[in-house]
Amino acid sequence: MEVKTSLLDNMIGVGDMVLLEPLSEDSFLENLKKRFDHNEIYTYIGSVVISMNPYRSLPIFTPEKVEEYRNRNFYELSPHIYALADEAYRSLRDQDKDQCILITGESGAGKTEASKLVMSYVAAVCGKGQEVNKVKEQLLQSNPVLEAFGNAKTVRNDNSSRFGKYMDIEFDFKGDPLGGVISNYLLEKSRVVKQPRGERNFHVFYQLLSGASDDTLKKLKLHRDFSKYNYLSLDSAIVNGLDDAANFRTVRNAMQIVGFMEDEVQSVLELVAAVLKLGNIEFKPESRCNGTDESRIKDKNDLKEMCELLGIEQSVLERAFSYRTVEAKMEKVSTTLNVAQAYYARDALAKNLYSRLFSWLVTRINESIKVSDAQAKTRHKVMGVLDIYGFEIFEDNSFEQFIINYCNEKLQQIFIELTLHEEQEEYIREGIEWTNIDMNLHLLSNNQNGILAMLDEECLRPGTVTDETFLDKLNTICAEHQHFESRLSKNSKFLNDHSLPHNCFRIQHYAGKVLYRVEGFVDKNNDLLYRDLSQAMYKANHSLIKQLFPEGNPSKVNLKRPPTAGFQFKASVGTLMKNLQTKNPNYIRCIKPNDKKASHIFTESLVRHQVRYLGLMENVRVRRAGYAFRQAYEPCLERYKMLCKRTWPHWRGPEREGVEVLMTDLQVPADEFSYGRSKIFIRNPRTLFFLEERRRQCLHDLASLIQKIYRGWKCRSHFLLLKKSQIVVAAWYRRYAQQKKYQRIKSATTVVQSYTRGWQARKLLRELKYQKRCEEAVTTIAAYWHGTQVRREYRKFFRANAGKKIYDFTIQRIMQKYFLGLKSNMPSMSPIDKNWPARPYLFLEGVHTELRRIFHLWRCKKYRSRFTEERKAVYEEKLEASEIFKDKKALYPSSVSQPFKGDYLEISKNPKYQKLSSAMDEKVLLADVVNKINRANGKVGQITGTIFTIRLACTGQVKASVPLPDLTSVSVSTQSDGFFALKLKEVRETCLDPNLQRY
């Protein structure tokens, strides 16, 4: 029988906040903290998952955990994100319901990781096969690519998504993935040109500079030093904390898996390099004859390299940075750009270039992961995963934070609406009476005349439009709105409070009040790119640039103003909301426990703020508005059947009747529960806790009974085993005793036999030895006699003929052995190696010495033959210096290894001596810094073919000069110093004491 578990088993705190008793914000936070301290990072609110970021790795995401939650009831195991993913996937596969998983929370709460976990779980539990695995791998590997180009390190999060992402994954009727579509929302492209203190630009810039090979960087005309690029702030480059080199390799591999061709990857990297080069272009003012100011590029090197990367004519792009052409009907007006306008145009081009590249990447990934045309003809099941920026409240909130918070208001509204709708549908489906709850949000941004609409009107109206005029319009229209406050609005309670600046306004969001600084709202909403820059980009020969700037085509000039950033974002959010409303929602609410990105730290005030703006308490109240807990009849009966004798151990009838019998026997008040069509609904958590307490007591009693029966059975079994063992042991012992007795008799017989055979063998051996000794004596006597005869004959022969020949042969063998030994022990080919093998015989002394001399001369010749002309000249100089200074000057030995350079200052290459180089007409044979005694330093001594001069290093002015013919001699001291003196032909001697520091 399978052992079934439940959410209520071994529960730390309360696993489902709906069961929290008493329900208050403090008890809510205390329960979260208790579970967080015990590494329980997931908690339920009904079917909503609350996820606490642990800021460390936990062993709860293993393949074993995936199998544990696979095909299990949502409340069957402890809370986990895998339970929600499994519930959504099974509803999609088995019930043919389109699903969406909404992941919300502020930056650093773990939304991106949560979306990865959901996708990895679905990939693990769906079907297998070569084609299916390829689709799954492409869907999963799209994440590293988009994170590299769309994520950045912020003060709150090392991998913060600076764009919103919604992925629709399509499945076939078996539940296998076929492909997907990714939608992106509002890339924070202002980060390209400027980052807050302590934050980084997008990951790809740092990954490229850290992880690309030297050859790749050379092709892209880049350097590894982050500080050389204006768009990469120095402090963010130093405070790294990420393995950018390894991540770059991961991104390159992911792009290959997704389907990017090698030339496409190279084109993308070229555009990234172009953005970095673009940030290094600087401008200087220049006045024209008519009195107007225009801008000029200071250093054109970066502009040149950027144009080479993109295939653009340098003059075309240079003119686009200096002039702007305004077209109105049939008239064109060209105006010059001042420095501020030129910098604005440069940054606008950088932001547009990067944002369009990012949009192209998303489109290119969609082409790879889309459903094939053959499969697109039939309807598929869809699961959407939304990972979008959370509600943001910074010290300085601008246009980006406003539209991010606008999107979060929309998501909060749809969350409340769908939660109420889902709750109402379940009550109606189960036939339970439902009481409507009014939880509408009165959001300022929902109005037809909302702030985004007013911003668009202000941007499109004729006349002078500034951030101040926009704020005046807000003060006029929204003055009476209860959620709007500014320094001049009638609704403000801070008319005399200087903490609310003139250029700011405050909005009461569902998450709290946020102060927005109006500076930059108009420019960021307009997001204008001068037409001259678009046309310059369109003229590029780069394969990708023309696709990114189609409006630059001169034959298709569109004079219509492009839509504003706010309008585009509002439209895309509206489309997203309509898409979400067609699917069954599943929610993951992410919370970060602290701002330090550290584990085991729970900041109560921070978590309290997130609980409020995520609306978690409201969600609990919605679930508890009617019945706090609901459960299907079968698992309810299975869990509590031991509490009633009529249902224990087995109930043979319908599950609902069994539950009715159980509740009647327990005497639970009728108003504490209701019977639905397939579930029992329990009104108060205390009723559930009463059932759990009775169950724990009953389990304790049952455990005692089982232990008692088990101990009796164990004792009886042990006794019977001992009895049986005693019989077996006795039988085996008797057998063993008889075997030992037989072995002893057999052993004694063997010993007697062996002694008898040994006596007979020794007797035979003595007889054989005697016979052998007799035969050996005869042989020995004969051998001695024959030997005497042979030696006598040999002496006669040697005296007559062989004496001299044997001597010559001996000498020949000695010399042969000598030369072979010399060959195997030859010293190295180095001329300074003084090793030589020792002579073996005294009479070889002369030959031995002569051979050593000849070998040394030969290897010296070999060593000299390898010299080049330059090296030969160097050694000749060293030889001449040795004749002059060896054993005469103490500093000489330390100078032997230093080559003679002559021009030690490298006057022609060193920009410090530019004036000194231009002042010399002849070739410089020797140049170095000299210091005269009791005089100022900073002088340079030079020797040419005709003259010796001393000049000032900064100006090249001649301080002293002596023609070489006037010199009679040069003297140096014998000590370890750099003093030398020049002697002239005249009677008056001038003694110079420069410290050359070299010879």
Side-chain angles (χ1 to χ4, degrees):
M1 176 180 167
E2 181 184 359
V3 178
K4 295 189 176 181
T5 58
S6 170
L7 166 74
L8 302 171
D9 290 330
N10 303 318
M11 188 166 55
I12 297 172
V14 178
D16 190 343
M17 289 294 187
V18 178
L19 304 178
L20 189 62
E21 190 72 26
L23 177 61
S24 66
E25 193 174 80
D26 291 336
S27 62
F28 192 99
L29 294 173
E30 183 181 353
N31 188 56
L32 282 180
K33 184 178 187 305
K34 184 177 181 180
R35 292 179 61 78
F36 179 76
D37 291 340
H38 288 80
N39 296 329
E40 294 288 341
I41 62 173
Y42 296 115
T43 308
Y44 291 155
I45 301 178
S47 59
V48 177
V49 176
I50 303 175
S51 172
M52 299 283 289
N53 192 343
Y55 288 115
R56 60 193 178 96
S57 298
L58 294 175
I60 59 174
F61 305 110
T62 60
E64 292 75 15
K65 277 290 181 182
V66 172
E67 290 301 320
E68 183 179 348
Y69 280 86
R70 186 173 185 175
N71 294 327
R72 302 294 287 267
N73 185 276
F74 186 76
Y75 296 104
E76 195 171 336
L77 299 173
S78 59
H80 201 291
I81 197 171
Y82 285 168
L84 180 136
D86 185 75
E87 183 76 11
Y89 176 71
R90 286 192 293 116
S91 297
L92 176 137
R93 181 192 62 191
D94 302 337
Q95 302 176 19
D96 201 20
K97 292 182 180 179
D98 289 348
Q99 304 289 317
C100 65
I101 299 177
L102 280 65
I103 306 172
T104 56
E106 70 174 52
S107 179
K111 300 186 299 299
T112 301
E113 287 301 317
S115 66
K116 291 180 184 177
L117 290 172
V118 170
M119 293 180 64
S120 64
Y121 180 85
V122 173
V125 300
C126 63
K128 303 292 187 294
Q130 182 176 357
E131 191 63 30
V132 173
N133 290 338
K134 178 182 177 182
V135 173
K136 290 193 293 187
E137 190 66 17
Q138 286 184 334
L139 291 172
L140 293 175
Q141 290 300 324
S142 65
N143 277 327
V145 179
L146 294 180
E147 285 182 13
F149 287 86
N151 289 21
K153 179 177 181 179
T154 66
V155 294
R156 298 187 175 186
N157 187 3
D158 286 347
N159 189 32
S160 177
S161 299
R162 307 320 298 162
F163 72 104
K165 182 182 75 172
Y166 178 74
M167 174 183 284
D168 266 335
I169 307 174
E170 299 189 30
F171 297 82
D172 62 9
F173 68 96
K174 303 187 300 296
D176 295 339
L178 300 174
V181 178
I182 299 174
S183 302
N184 64 299
Y185 302 96
L186 188 68
L187 177 72
E188 189 188 13
K189 56 186 176 182
S190 61
R191 182 172 292 270
V192 174
V193 300
K194 184 180 180 182
Q195 305 93 42
R197 180 178 297 276
E199 297 190 2
R200 301 203 318 174
N201 208 324
F202 292 102
H203 289 327
V204 67
F205 296 111
Y206 305 92
Q207 292 174 358
L208 175 61
L209 298 180
S210 300
S213 63
D214 294 335
D215 184 53
T216 301
L217 291 180
K218 185 177 180 181
K219 290 180 181 178
L220 299 177
K221 307 180 187 302
L222 296 175
H223 306 280
R224 294 199 188 276
D225 188 1
F226 297 160
S227 61
K228 292 186 177 181
Y229 303 99
N230 295 335
Y231 281 164
L232 305 181
S233 57
L234 185 59
D235 60 338
S236 61
I238 294 174
V239 186
N240 193 340
L242 301 174
D243 191 354
D244 292 315
N247 289 336
F248 180 74
R249 294 189 291 272
T250 301
V251 172
R252 287 293 299 264
N253 183 56
M255 294 179 77
Q256 183 179 2
I257 293 174
V258 171
F260 282 81
M261 306 300 292
E262 191 60 34
D263 57 334
E264 291 178 323
V265 176
Q266 184 63 26
S267 298
V268 170
L269 296 182
E270 287 172 354
L271 263 63
V272 174
V275 172
L276 290 175
K277 291 290 182 184
L278 193 59
N280 287 355
I281 298 176
E282 296 183 348
F283 303 92
K284 60 182 178 180
E286 185 174 295
S287 298
R288 304 183 67 182
C289 57
N290 58 2
T292 60
D293 291 336
E294 63 180 51
S295 63
R296 286 287 182 267
I297 297 176
K298 288 183 181 180
D299 185 359
K300 298 182 181 180
N301 184 52
D302 287 301
L303 178 65
K304 177 184 176 184
E305 292 180 346
M306 175 190 168
C307 291
E308 290 175 356
L309 281 173
L310 302 182
I312 303 175
E313 292 186 15
Q314 183 175 341
S315 58
V316 174
L317 191 57
E318 186 175 354
R319 176 175 175 78
F321 281 133
S322 301
Y323 296 90
R324 179 188 179 189
T325 303
V326 180
E327 299 184 21
K329 295 183 179 180
M330 301 302 293
E331 185 179 359
K332 291 185 178 180
V333 179
S334 182
T335 60
T336 60
L337 300 179
N338 57 31
V339 173
Q341 292 171 332
Y343 276 114
Y344 174 84
R346 180 201 70 175
D347 291 346
L349 178 59
K351 291 188 290 185
N352 273 271
L353 183 60
Y354 190 83
S355 64
R356 296 183 188 201
L357 171 63
F358 185 79
S359 299
W360 180 85
L361 282 171
V362 175
T363 303
R364 179 64 182 82
I365 292 173
N366 284 337
E367 290 177 2
S368 297
I369 65 176
K370 70 178 181 180
V371 179
S372 63
D373 295 336
Q375 296 171 328
K377 297 178 181 179
T378 59
R379 181 188 176 276
H380 301 126
K381 307 170 184 180
V382 179
M383 176 183 289
V385 180
L386 177 66
D387 175 12
I388 202 164
Y389 12 60
F391 196 86
E392 293 186 347
I393 304 178
F394 298 140
E395 292 183 6
D396 188 7
N397 301 287
S398 188
F399 178 73
E400 293 85 0
Q401 282 68 47
F402 178 79
I403 55 179
I404 285 173
N405 294 343
Y406 164 78
C407 179
N408 274 269
E409 279 199 344
K410 288 289 188 181
L411 289 174
Q412 177 68 8
Q413 188 175 25
I414 196 173
F415 169 68
I416 296 297
E417 290 176 354
L418 292 179
T419 300
L420 289 171
H421 181 66
E422 179 186 5
E423 195 76 3
Q424 183 178 10
E425 278 190 343
E426 182 172 17
Y427 277 75
I428 295 174
R429 185 170 57 249
E430 294 292 330
I432 303 296
E433 185 179 351
W434 166 258
T435 303
N436 285 321
I437 303 173
D438 184 16
M439 299 193 70
N440 291 328
L441 299 176
H442 302 287
L443 306 177
L444 182 62
S445 56
N446 280 349
N447 299 336
Q448 287 286 339
N449 297 323
I451 292 179
L452 285 177
M454 286 185 279
L455 180 59
D456 285 347
E457 291 177 3
E458 188 69 11
C459 291
L460 298 176
R461 74 173 177 83
T464 303
V465 178
T466 63
D467 296 322
E468 288 73 20
T469 60
F470 168 61
L471 183 59
D472 292 339
K473 185 171 185 175
L474 290 181
N475 290 331
T476 302
I477 298 177
C478 302
E480 301 294 337
H481 200 288
Q482 59 179 346
H483 294 158
F484 178 85
E485 297 176 0
S486 73
R487 197 177 182 93
L488 300 178
S489 67
K490 296 179 181 179
N491 190 49
S492 175
K493 300 178 182 179
F494 305 99
L495 293 176
N496 299 320
D497 187 355
H498 295 285
S499 64
L500 188 62
H502 288 284
N503 61 342
C504 296
F505 63 93
R506 183 185 287 121
I507 292 181
Q508 174 68 52
H509 291 282
Y510 72 92
K513 292 184 178 181
V514 182
L515 181 68
Y516 297 100
R517 191 175 298 277
V518 79
E519 293 176 3
F521 263 61
V522 173
D523 285 340
K524 292 175 181 178
N525 189 51
N526 279 327
D527 193 24
L528 291 178
L529 179 67
Y530 297 150
R531 186 176 289 110
D532 301 77
L533 290 172
S534 299
Q535 293 175 350
M537 291 292 104
Y538 187 79
K539 294 178 181 178
N541 293 326
H542 196 274
S543 59
L544 188 54
I545 289 291
K546 283 184 180 293
Q547 301 178 40
L548 301 184
F549 293 88
E551 75 277 11
N553 189 347
S555 62
K556 298 180 181 179
V557 176
N558 186 6
L559 300 180
K560 186 178 179 181
R561 188 184 183 95
T564 62
F567 177 82
Q568 297 178 51
F569 181 72
K570 191 174 180 180
S572 61
V573 169
T575 304
L576 173 64
M577 296 303 127
K578 292 179 181 178
N579 192 352
L580 296 178
Q581 287 175 343
T582 62
K583 297 179 173 62
N584 183 52
N586 302 271
Y587 302 98
I588 302 174
R589 315 295 259 173
C590 298
I591 295 177
K592 66 176 183 178
N594 60 78
D595 276 329
K596 299 178 181 179
K597 295 182 280 190
S599 59
H600 303 293
I601 298 178
F602 186 93
T603 306
E604 183 176 337
S605 58
L606 177 64
V607 177
R608 184 186 298 271
H609 174 68
Q610 295 174 80
V611 167
R612 286 177 179 174
Y613 81 66
L614 287 173
L616 300 184
M617 292 296 295
E618 288 76 8
N619 190 206
V620 176
R621 292 189 182 100
V622 168
R623 287 300 303 262
R624 293 183 59 165
Y627 296 88
F629 183 77
R630 64 215 62 181
Q631 192 175 30
Y633 290 124
E634 182 180 1
C636 180
L637 181 62
E638 187 67 27
R639 185 170 183 81
Y640 301 113
K641 63 183 180 180
M642 73 283 297
L643 302 181
C644 177
K645 293 180 180 180
R646 296 169 61 186
T647 58
W648 177 258
H650 299 291
W651 173 258
R652 301 301 180 185
E655 287 81 4
R656 173 169 177 168
E657 292 181 6
V659 173
E660 291 177 353
V661 169
L662 177 65
M663 300 302 283
T664 303
D665 188 73
L666 292 175
Q667 297 181 356
V668 179
D671 58 348
E672 286 295 317
F673 63 90
S674 292
Y675 296 112
R677 293 187 175 91
S678 63
K679 297 179 182 179
I680 181 173
F681 288 73
I682 298 176
R683 187 176 301 279
N684 291 314
R686 61 175 176 269
T687 303
L688 181 65
F689 294 147
F690 163 75
L691 295 175
E692 284 295 310
E693 182 62 30
R694 290 288 301 273
R695 180 177 180 271
R696 275 192 293 270
Q697 184 61 42
C698 186
L699 288 176
H700 182 271
D701 297 338
L702 289 173
S704 300
L705 178 62
I706 293 172
Q707 289 174 357
K708 180 180 70 173
I709 296 174
Y710 171 74
R711 283 193 293 267
W713 169 83
K714 187 175 182 181
C715 289
R716 285 192 299 274
S717 299
H718 183 63
F719 169 76
L720 293 175
L721 180 62
L722 289 177
K723 184 178 179 181
K724 182 179 179 182
S725 300
Q726 186 270 335
I727 297 172
V728 172
V729 168
W732 278 89
Y733 175 75
R734 286 191 295 271
R735 176 187 176 187
Y736 169 77
Q738 292 299 319
Q739 286 177 341
K740 293 297 288 183
K741 183 178 179 181
Y742 168 77
Q743 291 292 341
R744 285 196 300 270
I745 297 172
K746 182 179 180 182
S747 178
T749 304
T750 304
V751 170
V752 172
Q753 291 176 351
S754 65
Y755 270 100
T756 303
R757 285 192 292 268
W759 172 76
Q760 293 175 349
R762 284 192 295 273
K763 181 179 178 182
L764 179 61
L765 178 63
R766 284 193 296 271
E767 294 175 355
L768 292 175
K769 283 184 177 180
Y770 177 74
Q771 294 177 4
K772 185 176 181 181
R773 282 197 299 271
C774 293
E775 293 174 358
E776 287 178 349
V778 174
T779 304
T780 301
I781 293 170
Y784 271 97
W785 185 84
H786 287 299
T788 303
Q789 296 298 321
V790 171
R791 283 193 296 273
R792 185 181 296 120
E793 294 296 328
Y794 176 75
R795 284 192 211 95
K796 292 179 182 179
F797 175 79
F798 182 76
R799 292 190 191 100
N801 299 314
K804 185 177 183 305
K805 290 182 180 179
I806 291 174
Y807 175 78
D808 293 341
F809 178 74
T810 304
I811 296 298
Q812 184 180 0
R813 291 295 302 271
I814 290 172
M815 293 303 294
Q816 183 180 11
K817 182 177 180 181
Y818 166 69
F819 283 118
L820 290 174
L822 193 64
K823 176 184 177 183
S824 60
N825 295 305
M826 290 292 285
S828 66
M829 293 296 291
S830 174
I832 63 174
D833 188 356
K834 297 183 179 180
N835 295 326
W836 187 254
R839 55 173 171 70
Y841 302 102
L842 184 62
F843 72 89
L844 293 175
E845 177 66 29
V847 176
H848 194 68
T849 305
E850 184 63 18
L851 284 175
R852 180 177 185 178
R853 186 186 67 80
I854 292 172
F855 176 75
H856 180 67
L857 293 176
W858 175 76
R859 70 182 176 184
C860 288
K861 180 180 178 183
K862 286 288 186 180
Y863 184 76
R864 289 195 303 274
S865 65
R866 295 198 299 268
F867 285 2
T868 62
E869 290 299 328
E870 295 179 357
R871 192 174 180 188
K872 184 177 180 181
V874 170
Y875 276 91
E876 288 176 351
E877 291 176 350
K878 287 292 180 180
L879 183 60
E880 187 172 351
S882 175
E883 294 174 355
I884 298 173
F885 296 109
K886 186 175 181 182
D887 299 328
K888 296 178 182 179
K889 184 163 180 64
L891 193 63
Y892 172 72
S894 63
S895 68
V896 171
S897 60
Q898 302 179 10
F900 294 121
K901 295 176 61 176
D903 184 6
Y904 293 100
L905 302 180
E906 298 182 343
I907 294 176
S908 59
K909 299 179 182 178
N910 196 333
K912 179 179 178 182
Y913 303 109
Q914 183 177 3
K915 294 185 178 180
L916 199 62
S917 175
S918 60
M920 293 301 300
D921 299 329
E922 301 181 59
K923 180 181 179 182
V924 177
L925 302 179
L926 177 65
D928 206 344
V929 176
V930 299
N931 300 321
K932 293 186 66 179
I933 297 177
N934 299 331
R935 297 292 183 88
N937 298 329
K939 300 180 179 63
V940 174
Q942 297 175 314
I943 298 177
T944 64
T946 60
I947 193 168
F948 171 77
T949 59
I950 297 177
R951 298 173 179 268
L952 290 177
C954 57
T955 62
Q957 178 183 357
V958 178
K959 301 301 291 184
S961 64
V962 179
L964 295 184
D966 291 347
L967 295 174
T968 59
S969 64
V970 180
S971 300
V972 299
S973 70
T974 62
Q975 304 302 317
S976 298
D977 54 37
F979 289 94
F980 74 91
L982 304 177
K983 293 185 180 180
L984 307 179
K985 290 181 179 181
E986 300 177 3
V987 178
R988 180 179 58 83
E989 290 187 352
T990 303
C991 187
L992 305 176
D993 51 346
N995 181 10
L996 294 178
Q997 301 175 354
R998 301 182 182 89
Y999 283 110

